[in-house]
Amino acid sequence: MIPLSWYLILAAGLFSIGLFGVLVRRNAVAILLGVELMLNAVNINLVSFWRYGDVLKMTGQVFAIIVFAVAAAEVAVGLALVISVYRSRNTVIADELDMMKW
Amino acid sequence: MSAEQIIFLVVGVFTLLAGLMVVTTRNLIHAALWLVATLFGVAVLYTLLNAGFMAVVQVVVYIGAIAILFIFAVMLTRRDLRDRGPQMNRNWWAGALIALLTFAGLFFLLSGWGSASRVAGVIPSGFDAVGQLGEQLVSPQAYVLPFEVASVLLVAAMVGAVYTAFNRK
């Protein structure tokens, strides 16, 4: 049998990799890719807590499905923003998007 | 080691390596394809956790919709995504340090937590997880409110995305 900690450590690793991507990538689309990795790590945690807790209560899976919906909404709005910014500024490099900075 | 553990280790290492490729590859199309590989690995993990429905939803929603949306966005912003200039910013070492510290902190918390080594309980025979999940999602005693909020959120996101990306000419 697989102990619970294996899943949790794997999810922590995936979360840290996603965090690294969000912090260091210059391209806005690549930053959103990092956010997707972090959301997936959270989902692994939720589903494994469902499996290792009370299986008869579906709370973990329900939360994971809500996270799916939030991830889909996030990526749709985020990529629309990137495309819109690209149209007006002709760049998707996050450093160069400083219209709101003063 | 049981077969289950070997499958977990192989899939877990593959998922982590594919995740590393997502954040380090120069070519963004390749990064999006590595994301597909990572998502497949996570789907296999859901199967190992006896959550078959989650695995199917992972493949359909994440790989079928979100990853394809990423590839579309990469293509629509192609001119800047050519491999000119560094792909990471100047403070990449600080980002790596923060990520490593986060992982170390989580690992430390887990190693101090007593029930982290517990094993999964037995699923009672005849337990219909998918049916139970569907009932809970629409039952007023359970999660019908988050379910409806999620649908409102999806509609709002769709309207917002169309409005934001719309080309006014």
Side-chain angles (χ1 to χ4, degrees), chain A residues 55-101:
Chain A
V55 183
L56 299 181
K57 288 188 182 148
M58 304 301 290
T59 315
Q61 286 206 34
V62 171
F63 261 85
I65 283 177
I66 303 291
V67 172
F68 274 135
V70 172
E74 172 259 335
V75 80
V77 175
L79 290 178
L81 276 173
V82 170
I83 289 169
S84 169
V85 162
Y86 179 72
R87 255 200 216 114
S88 61
R89 304 285 298 235
N90 227 355
T91 179
V92 288
I93 306 295
D95 301 341
E96 297 170 10
L97 305 176
D98 52 1
M99 300 94 99
M100 293 177 77
K101 205 156 117 187

Side-chain angles (χ1 to χ4, degrees), chain A residues 1 5 25 27 52 59 87 91, chain B residues 5 23 80-81 116 118 165:
Chain A
M1 290 304 287
S5 54
R25 290 301 288 250
N27 192 308
Y52 286 79
T59 315
R87 255 200 216 114
T91 179
Chain B
Q5 290 178 330
V23 295
D80 253 323
L81 303 183
R118 74 159 75 169

Side-chain angles (χ1 to χ4, degrees), chain B residues 80-91:
Chain B
D80 253 323
L81 303 183
R82 262 185 228 141
D83 313 339
R84 71 174 167 75
Q87 283 294 307
M88 297 186 183
N89 57 25
R90 283 189 313 276
N91 299 325

